[in-house]
């Protein structure tokens, strides 16, 4: 397909991209992965280009994969702490000489570099679901250079790309692959919906038989669910929701249990801003933990996935997440999945910030 249409495009959610475009991104990711593995320099692709990275939240994988990726492509990534610049803020949320309106930040950075990547969810937007996504869209409205979503409160599209690239590598494709994204217990409820929502979008878009498992109080965004259902129709595959943790994994090829906040935790109109109630609900489901016994019920060659960081001992037992480097039988692929963040991000940056690939 033509790849010059990618140049200048924002990358905020996979819902803005076609299946064919995502397949191209995965192809480019594998090519860049091969070049990295064989020591073939490719630092001409974004030579002397700059990515500004604004992190409102912590990060290990995202920050380092973007920084390393820009170095390998011949450019440079600036880390920007919102507390050390004037915190970019939406109109109406400004504080004199402490914040700076997003429209000004976006237009200034557009004059100096080639991409703006943003991570924002949770406390910086007071857990108002969609508030961080709106911030990214406001950046996109004013920026002349691509906006890259490094995780907001709705989507984590680069994680989802790394997830489906890992599935493609392990199984050779997606058709007939049972991909189970499940809620799992964590003592912390301060977890956005971005990873599960982007994972089910990506898996259903690529053609997996996608299963979403969670207790009834942990519903995801109805718009995301509708998009997954439409993807399943497009691919002649399936998308199902279950509230039964154990049966969800029967015969699964991909086992992806991960915590997110119960619905009541979010501010109205999505939830009830009820932190104490959310904690009580959360603690009812301590048995939603991935164990080696449960992995045995999945497909013989199943893979355990997690975006990391994982809450070991709560979401998953050590003997599951550490079950890597296995020749036969089920295994954990969490480090392959983390590495793939590097390759998919390099692919997207090359396509949207660079020239013709
Ligand atoms: N998976 C992921 O986004 O990791 P970080 O929070 O460390 O960036």
């Amino acid at each position: 397909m033509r790849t010059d249409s990618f140049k200048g495009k924002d990358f905020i959610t996979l819902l803005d991209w076609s299946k064919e475009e995502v397949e191209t991104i995965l192809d480019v990711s594998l090519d860049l992965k091969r070049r990295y593995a064989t020591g073939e320099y490719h630092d001409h692709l974004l030579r002397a280009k700059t990515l500004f990275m604004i992190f409102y939240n912590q990060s290990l994988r995202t920050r380092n994969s973007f920084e390393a990726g820009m170095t390998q492509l011949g450019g440079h990534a600036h880390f920007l702490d919102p507390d050390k610049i004037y915190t970019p803020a939406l109109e109406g949320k400004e504080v004199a000489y402490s914040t700076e309106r997003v429209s000004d930040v976006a237009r200034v950075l557009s004059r100096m570099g080639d991409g703006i990547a943003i991570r924002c969810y949770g406390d910086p937007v007071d857990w108002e679901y969609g508030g961080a996504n709106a911030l990214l869209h406001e950046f996109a409205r004013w920026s002349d250079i691509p906006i890259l979503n490094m995780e907001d409160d709705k989507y984590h599209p680069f994680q989802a790309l790394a997830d489906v690239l890992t599935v493609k590598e392990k199984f050779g494709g997606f058709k007939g692959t049972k991909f189970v994204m499940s809620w799992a217990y964590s003592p912390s409820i301060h977890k956005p919906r971005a990873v599960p929502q982007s994972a089910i979008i990506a898996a259903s878009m690529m053609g997996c038989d996608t299963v979403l498992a969670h207790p009834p109080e942990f519903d995801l965004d109805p718009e995301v669910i509708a998009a997954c259902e439409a993807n399943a129709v497009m691919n002649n595959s399936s998308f199902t929701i279950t509230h039964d943790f154990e049966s969800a994994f029967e015969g699964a090829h991909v086992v992806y249990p991960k915590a997110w906040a119960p619905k009541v935790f979010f501010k109205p109109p999505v939830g009830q801003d009820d932190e104490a109630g959310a904690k009580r609900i959360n603690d009812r489901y301590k048995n939603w933990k991935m164990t080696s016994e449960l992995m045995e019920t999945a497909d013989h060659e199943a893979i355990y996935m997690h975006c990391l960081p994982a809450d070991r001992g709560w979401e998953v037992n050590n003997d599951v997440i550490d079950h890597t480097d296995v020749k036969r039988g089920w295994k954990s692929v969490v480090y392959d999945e983390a590495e793939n963040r590097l390759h998919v991000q390099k692919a997207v940056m090359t396509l949207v910030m660079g020239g013709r690939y």
Side-chain angles (χ1 to χ4, degrees):
M1 73 180 297
R2 288 179 62 138
T3 53
D4 51 357
S5 65
F6 287 63
K7 190 168 165 56
K9 235 182 129 166
D10 300 317
F11 196 78
I12 295 178
T13 168
L14 290 176
L15 296 176
D16 296 335
W17 294 72
S18 70
K19 179 180 179 183
E20 193 182 8
E21 287 172 328
V22 173
E23 284 170 341
T24 299
I25 292 169
L26 297 183
D27 284 349
V28 174
S29 305
L30 288 171
D31 180 41
L32 293 176
K33 184 170 185 173
R34 178 192 59 76
R35 294 198 210 187
Y36 180 62
T38 57
E40 184 184 317
Y41 286 109
H42 41 285
D43 53 355
H44 59 289
L45 291 172
L46 290 182
R47 184 163 297 155
K49 302 236 177 192
T50 298
L51 176 72
F52 300 108
M53 303 188 302
I54 307 175
F55 276 97
Y56 290 77
N57 311 86
Q58 293 165 296
S59 170
L60 173 75
R61 280 143 290 271
T62 305
R63 176 178 176 177
N64 290 294
S65 50
F66 270 106
E67 287 198 14
M70 279 302 288
T71 302
Q72 291 164 25
L73 293 167
H76 181 65
H78 288 211
F79 175 80
L80 298 173
D81 178 345
D83 290 337
K84 298 287 185 293
I85 53 178
Y86 308 97
T87 309
L90 295 174
E91 192 175 351
K93 306 253 183 193
E94 293 158 293
V95 179
Y97 207 50
S98 164
T99 66
E100 183 165 359
R101 193 170 287 188
V102 165
S103 57
D104 292 335
V105 179
R107 283 180 287 186
V108 168
L109 294 181
S110 293
R111 299 284 185 100
M112 299 174 184
D114 304 279
I116 304 173
I118 303 159
R119 166 168 284 196
C120 184
Y121 59 80
D123 288 333
V125 290
D126 208 15
W127 290 96
E128 190 180 314
Y129 179 71
N133 185 254
L135 184 92
L136 266 78
H137 279 284
E138 186 66 1
F139 265 98
R141 182 177 160 212
W142 293 101
S143 172
D144 295 328
I145 56 180
I147 299 300
L148 309 182
N149 182 358
M150 299 194 294
E151 187 174 6
D152 66 20
D153 48 6
K154 294 178 94 169
Y155 307 114
H156 196 353
F158 288 107
Q159 181 64 55
L161 280 181
D163 295 342
V164 290
L165 181 64
T166 307
V167 173
K168 185 179 164 86
E169 288 178 323
K170 302 301 178 192
F171 296 110
F174 303 101
K175 196 75 193 155
T177 301
K178 180 176 175 184
F179 183 107
V180 183
M181 178 80 233
S182 173
W183 184 83
Y185 176 76
S186 163
S188 168
I189 54 170
H190 293 95
K191 290 179 184 270
R193 297 158 149 186
V195 167
Q197 294 193 156
S198 284
I200 58 174
I201 289 168
S204 60
M205 178 186 274
M206 302 318 292
C208 295
D209 291 321
T210 306
V211 177
L212 173 64
H214 61 74
E217 301 90 340
F218 292 78
D219 281 342
L220 295 181
D221 189 327
E223 283 180 23
V224 170
I225 300 303
C228 293
E229 287 167 347
N231 282 340
V233 171
M234 170 181 78
N235 286 314
N236 197 20
S237 56
S238 61
F239 174 73
T240 49
I241 299 177
T242 175
H243 300 317
D244 188 325
F245 183 59
E246 297 198 349
S247 69
F249 298 107
E250 283 169 11
H253 300 97
V254 179
V255 173
Y256 197 154
K258 154 95 184 77
W260 63 86
K263 205 172 152 191
V264 294
F265 176 62
F266 296 101
K267 296 269 185 301
V270 170
Q272 294 162 28
D273 194 15
D274 180 4
E275 178 149 8
K279 189 93 182 100
R280 276 195 303 277
I281 289 168
N282 197 60
D283 286 348
R284 280 183 209 145
Y285 298 106
K286 289 184 178 169
N287 59 332
W288 284 57
K289 178 200 286 197
M290 186 45 59
T291 62
S292 53
E293 291 76 22
L294 201 46
M295 286 301 301
E296 293 294 340
T297 70
D299 184 81
H300 180 63
E301 299 289 329
I303 56 175
Y304 165 82
M305 297 181 73
H306 195 292
C307 58
L308 302 180
D311 288 328
R312 285 169 175 261
W314 290 295
E315 291 178 303
V316 58
N317 279 340
N318 288 328
D319 63 354
V320 174
I321 194 168
D322 291 330
H323 201 64
T324 56
D325 303 322
V326 175
K327 290 222 171 9
R328 306 216 47 147
W330 67 264
K331 58 183 164 296
S332 166
V333 297
V334 294
Y335 307 115
D336 297 336
E337 186 184 357
E339 181 195 325
N340 280 338
R341 292 291 305 277
L342 173 73
H343 308 301
V344 298
Q345 288 159 200
K346 284 170 65 181
V348 173
M349 288 192 291
T350 299
L351 290 164
V352 303
M353 292 165 56
R356 188 183 291 273
Y357 177 67

